[in-house]
Amino acid sequence: MDVDLPAGVTAERVTTDRLDTAILTAGNPDGTPLVLVHGNVSSSRFFAELMTELPDTYRVIAPDLRGYGDSETKRVDATRGVRDFSDDLHALFDALDLEDIALVGWSIGGGVAMQYAIDHPERLTAVCLESTMSPYGFGGTTRDGSPCQPDYAGTGGGLANDEFVEQLAAGDTTAESDASPRTVMQAFYVAPGHEFDPATADAYVQAMCATAVGDDNYPGDAEPSDNWPGVAPGDHGVLNAVSPKYFDTTDLADIDPKPPILWVHGDSDQIVSDTSFFDAGFLGQAGQLPDWPGEDAYPPQPMNAQTRDVLDAYADAGGTYQEELFEDVGHSPHVERPERFRSILLDFLAD
């Protein structure tokens, strides 16, 4: 368990019929459940500082997803999209006897939150999507979700940076390599110029290095492809689970009941945006992937535009959503602008 947690945050373990799950808890055990779901190559530890600042009217719970942090490592079946993660959450909620849950999902955690809302809308009172991945999956699609390649080439586990994966597996906490977890966190998890508290940065990097690495977890396996850029998704692991080959939460618009949704994102996000440095189409356009077939064949994925389209459909079908854009903020509004993020979230939940 993490020994550097701020005062008021406690680490626990919960055994369910699916997973031995590590969680962080804070607040009032009898309060309204508020669950915080982390993103890729991170853990619940990225929420600990936020948890200390939330009022005692909430029972705050931040779980580690399978293969992350201190939770049990089990294979991620990518052919189910992110349902392994969302089903794990459901088992955890049952074990903790949680009802009427406010669910916050950050990055891939946003995809998990959307999937959970599709499968169990009756358990939710509100959903906050922070820097969420697109409802159409990550990479390789046009505005309407159509795949750029028939085999979804350019998405999935084969797109991970090999050196980053090696440094992650080695537990490198230094900034000596351009591909070390610490360097990647500073370059991409936040906007340029953001300064971490040194102790907090150390805790976050240690949390990143607790990620299970391999074909079954991060990044996942891959298949060769005759289509650009020469690699297609496999059927195990995290990056394949969020490939549009398997991930699709556009049914969000059809759920009933429809909890209100808050969408929070930064205008300087380099991971989830319409110009993502982790999207093959944008990397090809930028000259970082050779032999790009051009914008007509393989455009950059308009991730935020796709999210807005699905949320507009959600509103047209009788739901409500609120969008909050943070200026000069990257992929982690709750880390970069914690006071504003907390204020917006609490106001949303109060309404």
Side-chain angles (χ1 to χ4, degrees):
M1 289 294 181
D2 205 323
V3 296
D4 68 342
L5 295 172
V9 178
T10 302
E12 301 178 14
R13 298 192 77 81
V14 180
T15 299
T16 76
D17 58 4
R18 288 183 55 84
L19 192 74
D20 186 12
T21 304
I23 65 173
L24 299 182
T25 65
N28 182 353
D30 297 319
T32 301
L34 174 58
V35 178
L36 313 174
V37 183
H38 66 81
N40 196 16
V41 192
S42 63
S43 79
S44 59
R45 183 59 187 82
F46 277 75
F47 286 121
E49 283 68 32
L50 172 68
M51 295 171 72
T52 66
E53 300 297 329
L54 295 172
D56 283 344
T57 52
Y58 293 100
R59 178 186 183 185
V60 188
I61 299 168
D64 289 337
L65 300 174
R66 63 169 60 196
Y68 293 94
D70 290 325
S71 281
E72 183 180 2
T73 296
K74 283 190 174 182
R75 169 184 280 192
V76 176
D77 181 356
T79 66
R80 305 185 69 235
V82 295
R83 287 182 181 87
D84 275 354
F85 295 132
S86 59
D87 286 353
D88 291 345
L89 282 186
H90 193 57
L92 175 67
F93 298 164
D94 282 347
L96 295 175
D97 196 25
L98 299 184
E99 299 283 349
D100 300 328
I101 301 160
L103 186 59
V104 178
W106 169 43
S107 192
I108 284 179
V112 176
M114 287 187 284
Q115 186 62 61
Y116 191 86
I118 290 169
D119 294 337
H120 306 285
E122 74 285 349
R123 297 286 283 266
L124 302 178
T125 60
V127 176
C128 173
L129 303 175
E130 180 191 3
S131 306
T132 185
M133 59 176 290
S134 165
Y136 289 103
F138 199 97
T141 61
T142 60
R143 176 74 175 262
D144 67 359
S146 300
C148 297
Q149 305 283 21
D151 61 352
Y152 296 88
T155 71
L159 267 290
N161 181 296
D162 290 340
E163 186 179 354
F164 173 68
V165 174
E166 291 173 4
Q167 298 294 331
L168 190 65
D172 181 7
T173 61
T174 74
E176 295 176 1
S177 165
D178 288 343
S180 74
R182 186 180 297 272
T183 303
V184 169
M185 180 182 74
Q186 184 67 66
F188 294 105
Y189 283 34
V190 293
H194 177 79
E195 295 185 9
F196 287 96
D197 172 81
T200 304
D202 288 346
Y204 292 169
V205 173
Q206 290 171 7
M208 295 172 70
C209 289
T211 301
V213 175
D215 285 351
D216 288 342
N217 298 101
Y218 178 84
D221 58 350
E223 296 290 340
S225 173
D226 292 333
N227 298 309
W228 186 86
V231 62
D235 56 10
H236 294 103
V238 178
L239 295 190
N240 296 315
V242 299
S243 162
K245 182 176 182 178
Y246 304 118
F247 181 94
D248 181 355
T249 57
T250 56
D251 285 347
L252 184 70
D254 301 324
I255 66 173
D256 183 31
K258 287 182 166 62
I261 294 176
L262 170 65
W263 176 29
V264 176
H265 57 117
D267 67 354
S268 299
D269 193 337
Q270 300 176 84
I271 297 176
V272 175
S273 74
D274 293 353
T275 53
S276 167
F277 282 90
F278 294 80
D279 169 51
F282 182 71
L283 291 174
Q285 184 185 66
Q288 299 300 307
L289 281 179
D291 303 319
W292 179 55
E295 190 161 356
D296 289 342
Y298 208 119
Q301 182 190 13
M303 300 179 186
N304 286 334
Q306 290 175 334
T307 296
R308 190 172 293 108
D309 288 346
V310 170
L311 292 179
D312 284 343
Y314 187 81
D316 290 343
T320 62
Y321 85 91
Q322 169 186 339
E323 179 180 352
E324 295 287 346
L325 182 65
F326 284 45
E327 295 182 358
D328 301 319
V329 167
H331 192 58
S332 311
H334 75 278
V335 171
E336 299 171 73
R337 298 288 189 275
E339 296 84 2
R340 184 183 174 201
F341 180 85
R342 182 179 68 251
S343 175
I344 289 173
L345 176 63
L346 293 177
D347 286 348
F348 167 71
L349 295 178
D351 288 342

PDB file of all heavy atoms in Angstrom, residues 22 74 76 91 100 104 107 143 146 160 168 200 222 245 251 326 339 342 350:
ATOM      1  N   ALA A  22      -7.716  -2.636  -4.887  1.00  0.00           N
ATOM      2  CA  ALA A  22      -7.189  -1.623  -3.979  1.00  0.00           C
ATOM      3  C   ALA A  22      -7.972  -0.330  -4.175  1.00  0.00           C
ATOM      4  O   ALA A  22      -8.262   0.067  -5.310  1.00  0.00           O
ATOM      5  CB  ALA A  22      -5.707  -1.381  -4.249  1.00  0.00           C
ATOM      6  N   LYS A  74      -4.993  -8.899 -13.697  1.00  0.00           N
ATOM      7  CA  LYS A  74      -5.656  -9.918 -14.488  1.00  0.00           C
ATOM      8  C   LYS A  74      -5.679  -9.476 -15.941  1.00  0.00           C
ATOM      9  O   LYS A  74      -5.629  -8.274 -16.240  1.00  0.00           O
ATOM     10  CB  LYS A  74      -7.091 -10.146 -13.994  1.00  0.00           C
ATOM     11  CG  LYS A  74      -7.200 -10.959 -12.722  1.00  0.00           C
ATOM     12  CD  LYS A  74      -8.652 -11.338 -12.437  1.00  0.00           C
ATOM     13  CE  LYS A  74      -8.761 -12.271 -11.254  1.00  0.00           C
ATOM     14  NZ  LYS A  74     -10.177 -12.678 -10.996  1.00  0.00           N
ATOM     15  N   VAL A  76      -6.747  -8.317 -19.509  1.00  0.00           N
ATOM     16  CA  VAL A  76      -7.801  -7.469 -20.061  1.00  0.00           C
ATOM     17  C   VAL A  76      -8.225  -8.055 -21.403  1.00  0.00           C
ATOM     18  O   VAL A  76      -7.431  -8.112 -22.350  1.00  0.00           O
ATOM     19  CB  VAL A  76      -7.318  -6.022 -20.233  1.00  0.00           C
ATOM     20  CG1 VAL A  76      -8.395  -5.170 -20.910  1.00  0.00           C
ATOM     21  CG2 VAL A  76      -6.919  -5.414 -18.895  1.00  0.00           C
ATOM     22  N   ALA A  91     -18.799  -4.985  -9.562  1.00  0.00           N
ATOM     23  CA  ALA A  91     -18.578  -5.929  -8.472  1.00  0.00           C
ATOM     24  C   ALA A  91     -18.109  -5.210  -7.205  1.00  0.00           C
ATOM     25  O   ALA A  91     -18.518  -5.560  -6.091  1.00  0.00           O
ATOM     26  CB  ALA A  91     -17.561  -6.985  -8.901  1.00  0.00           C
ATOM     27  N   ASP A 100     -26.833   4.986  -5.807  1.00  0.00           N
ATOM     28  CA  ASP A 100     -26.912   6.444  -6.026  1.00  0.00           C
ATOM     29  C   ASP A 100     -25.517   7.056  -6.064  1.00  0.00           C
ATOM     30  O   ASP A 100     -25.169   7.948  -5.292  1.00  0.00           O
ATOM     31  CB  ASP A 100     -27.766   7.098  -4.936  1.00  0.00           C
ATOM     32  CG  ASP A 100     -29.180   6.559  -4.911  1.00  0.00           C
ATOM     33  OD1 ASP A 100     -29.689   6.200  -5.988  1.00  0.00           O
ATOM     34  OD2 ASP A 100     -29.771   6.486  -3.825  1.00  0.00           O
ATOM     35  N   VAL A 104     -16.975   9.799 -11.464  1.00  0.00           N
ATOM     36  CA  VAL A 104     -16.027  10.651 -12.184  1.00  0.00           C
ATOM     37  C   VAL A 104     -15.047   9.750 -12.914  1.00  0.00           C
ATOM     38  O   VAL A 104     -14.434   8.858 -12.299  1.00  0.00           O
ATOM     39  CB  VAL A 104     -15.264  11.588 -11.228  1.00  0.00           C
ATOM     40  CG1 VAL A 104     -14.238  12.426 -11.998  1.00  0.00           C
ATOM     41  CG2 VAL A 104     -16.224  12.480 -10.467  1.00  0.00           C
ATOM     42  N   SER A 107      -9.900  10.451 -18.498  1.00  0.00           N
ATOM     43  CA  SER A 107      -9.217   9.869 -19.642  1.00  0.00           C
ATOM     44  C   SER A 107      -9.850   8.523 -20.006  1.00  0.00           C
ATOM     45  O   SER A 107     -11.039   8.463 -20.286  1.00  0.00           O
ATOM     46  CB  SER A 107      -7.720   9.735 -19.331  1.00  0.00           C
ATOM     47  OG  SER A 107      -6.982   9.429 -20.482  1.00  0.00           O
ATOM     48  N   ARG A 143     -15.050  11.590 -38.323  1.00  0.00           N
ATOM     49  CA  ARG A 143     -15.966  12.295 -37.416  1.00  0.00           C
ATOM     50  C   ARG A 143     -17.164  11.427 -37.004  1.00  0.00           C
ATOM     51  O   ARG A 143     -17.581  11.434 -35.841  1.00  0.00           O
ATOM     52  CB  ARG A 143     -16.455  13.586 -38.089  1.00  0.00           C
ATOM     53  CG  ARG A 143     -17.489  14.401 -37.310  1.00  0.00           C
ATOM     54  CD  ARG A 143     -16.882  15.130 -36.124  1.00  0.00           C
ATOM     55  NE  ARG A 143     -17.852  15.995 -35.463  1.00  0.00           N
ATOM     56  CZ  ARG A 143     -17.969  17.308 -35.674  1.00  0.00           C
ATOM     57  NH1 ARG A 143     -17.165  17.920 -36.538  1.00  0.00           N
ATOM     58  NH2 ARG A 143     -18.866  18.026 -35.022  1.00  0.00           N
ATOM     59  N   SER A 146     -16.570   6.194 -38.469  1.00  0.00           N
ATOM     60  CA  SER A 146     -16.189   5.196 -39.474  1.00  0.00           C
ATOM     61  C   SER A 146     -14.685   4.928 -39.395  1.00  0.00           C
ATOM     62  O   SER A 146     -13.882   5.863 -39.269  1.00  0.00           O
ATOM     63  CB  SER A 146     -16.538   5.696 -40.881  1.00  0.00           C
ATOM     64  OG  SER A 146     -17.928   5.937 -41.003  1.00  0.00           O
ATOM     65  N   ALA A 160       1.996   1.813 -29.133  1.00  0.00           N
ATOM     66  CA  ALA A 160       2.723   2.289 -27.958  1.00  0.00           C
ATOM     67  C   ALA A 160       4.198   2.514 -28.288  1.00  0.00           C
ATOM     68  O   ALA A 160       4.775   1.833 -29.136  1.00  0.00           O
ATOM     69  CB  ALA A 160       2.589   1.294 -26.816  1.00  0.00           C
ATOM     70  N   LEU A 168       8.858   1.856 -18.435  1.00  0.00           N
ATOM     71  CA  LEU A 168       7.776   1.624 -17.487  1.00  0.00           C
ATOM     72  C   LEU A 168       7.957   0.269 -16.797  1.00  0.00           C
ATOM     73  O   LEU A 168       7.848   0.152 -15.575  1.00  0.00           O
ATOM     74  CB  LEU A 168       6.438   1.677 -18.221  1.00  0.00           C
ATOM     75  CG  LEU A 168       5.163   1.702 -17.391  1.00  0.00           C
ATOM     76  CD1 LEU A 168       5.063   2.976 -16.576  1.00  0.00           C
ATOM     77  CD2 LEU A 168       3.941   1.562 -18.311  1.00  0.00           C
ATOM     78  N   THR A 200       4.817  15.280  -4.634  1.00  0.00           N
ATOM     79  CA  THR A 200       3.638  14.758  -5.315  1.00  0.00           C
ATOM     80  C   THR A 200       4.024  14.140  -6.656  1.00  0.00           C
ATOM     81  O   THR A 200       3.516  13.078  -7.032  1.00  0.00           O
ATOM     82  CB  THR A 200       2.609  15.875  -5.529  1.00  0.00           C
ATOM     83  OG1 THR A 200       2.295  16.467  -4.266  1.00  0.00           O
ATOM     84  CG2 THR A 200       1.336  15.321  -6.142  1.00  0.00           C
ATOM     85  N   ALA A 222      -0.533  -7.024 -30.590  1.00  0.00           N
ATOM     86  CA  ALA A 222      -0.774  -6.349 -31.874  1.00  0.00           C
ATOM     87  C   ALA A 222      -0.697  -7.371 -32.995  1.00  0.00           C
ATOM     88  O   ALA A 222      -0.153  -8.465 -32.842  1.00  0.00           O
ATOM     89  CB  ALA A 222       0.250  -5.239 -32.097  1.00  0.00           C
ATOM     90  N   LYS A 245     -12.049  -0.748 -32.775  1.00  0.00           N
ATOM     91  CA  LYS A 245     -12.439  -2.094 -33.202  1.00  0.00           C
ATOM     92  C   LYS A 245     -13.354  -2.736 -32.161  1.00  0.00           C
ATOM     93  O   LYS A 245     -14.252  -3.509 -32.510  1.00  0.00           O
ATOM     94  CB  LYS A 245     -11.197  -2.956 -33.424  1.00  0.00           C
ATOM     95  CG  LYS A 245     -11.515  -4.368 -33.907  1.00  0.00           C
ATOM     96  CD  LYS A 245     -10.251  -5.153 -34.209  1.00  0.00           C
ATOM     97  CE  LYS A 245     -10.597  -6.553 -34.730  1.00  0.00           C
ATOM     98  NZ  LYS A 245      -9.369  -7.326 -35.073  1.00  0.00           N
ATOM     99  N   ASP A 251     -23.894   4.383 -27.556  1.00  0.00           N
ATOM    100  CA  ASP A 251     -25.222   4.064 -27.019  1.00  0.00           C
ATOM    101  C   ASP A 251     -25.535   4.866 -25.758  1.00  0.00           C
ATOM    102  O   ASP A 251     -26.655   4.778 -25.243  1.00  0.00           O
ATOM    103  CB  ASP A 251     -25.328   2.572 -26.699  1.00  0.00           C
ATOM    104  CG  ASP A 251     -25.475   1.718 -27.939  1.00  0.00           C
ATOM    105  OD1 ASP A 251     -25.731   2.284 -29.022  1.00  0.00           O
ATOM    106  OD2 ASP A 251     -25.318   0.489 -27.843  1.00  0.00           O
ATOM    107  N   PHE A 326     -11.088  24.294 -19.700  1.00  0.00           N
ATOM    108  CA  PHE A 326     -10.064  24.962 -18.896  1.00  0.00           C
ATOM    109  C   PHE A 326      -8.987  25.504 -19.828  1.00  0.00           C
ATOM    110  O   PHE A 326      -8.400  24.745 -20.601  1.00  0.00           O
ATOM    111  CB  PHE A 326      -9.423  23.980 -17.917  1.00  0.00           C
ATOM    112  CG  PHE A 326     -10.260  23.647 -16.711  1.00  0.00           C
ATOM    113  CD1 PHE A 326     -11.608  23.345 -16.823  1.00  0.00           C
ATOM    114  CD2 PHE A 326      -9.688  23.632 -15.452  1.00  0.00           C
ATOM    115  CE1 PHE A 326     -12.372  23.029 -15.715  1.00  0.00           C
ATOM    116  CE2 PHE A 326     -10.427  23.317 -14.329  1.00  0.00           C
ATOM    117  CZ  PHE A 326     -11.774  23.017 -14.458  1.00  0.00           C
ATOM    118  N   GLU A 339      -8.431  23.733  -7.548  1.00  0.00           N
ATOM    119  CA  GLU A 339      -9.484  24.530  -6.918  1.00  0.00           C
ATOM    120  C   GLU A 339     -10.663  24.727  -7.860  1.00  0.00           C
ATOM    121  O   GLU A 339     -11.819  24.560  -7.462  1.00  0.00           O
ATOM    122  CB  GLU A 339      -8.935  25.898  -6.465  1.00  0.00           C
ATOM    123  CG  GLU A 339      -7.871  25.807  -5.380  1.00  0.00           C
ATOM    124  CD  GLU A 339      -6.483  25.562  -5.941  1.00  0.00           C
ATOM    125  OE1 GLU A 339      -6.325  25.494  -7.201  1.00  0.00           O
ATOM    126  OE2 GLU A 339      -5.544  25.417  -5.146  1.00  0.00           O
ATOM    127  N   ARG A 342     -12.492  21.359  -8.440  1.00  0.00           N
ATOM    128  CA  ARG A 342     -13.313  20.996  -7.282  1.00  0.00           C
ATOM    129  C   ARG A 342     -14.570  21.844  -7.220  1.00  0.00           C
ATOM    130  O   ARG A 342     -15.675  21.329  -6.988  1.00  0.00           O
ATOM    131  CB  ARG A 342     -12.502  21.163  -6.003  1.00  0.00           C
ATOM    132  CG  ARG A 342     -13.258  20.763  -4.736  1.00  0.00           C
ATOM    133  CD  ARG A 342     -12.402  20.917  -3.496  1.00  0.00           C
ATOM    134  NE  ARG A 342     -12.112  22.304  -3.188  1.00  0.00           N
ATOM    135  CZ  ARG A 342     -10.925  22.875  -3.322  1.00  0.00           C
ATOM    136  NH1 ARG A 342      -9.894  22.170  -3.776  1.00  0.00           N
ATOM    137  NH2 ARG A 342     -10.740  24.141  -3.017  1.00  0.00           N
ATOM    138  N   ALA A 350     -24.160  19.485  -6.652  1.00  0.00           N
ATOM    139  CA  ALA A 350     -25.194  20.129  -5.831  1.00  0.00           C
ATOM    140  C   ALA A 350     -26.447  20.410  -6.655  1.00  0.00           C
ATOM    141  O   ALA A 350     -27.570  20.326  -6.138  1.00  0.00           O
ATOM    142  CB  ALA A 350     -24.668  21.427  -5.228  1.00  0.00           C
TER     143      ALA A 350
END
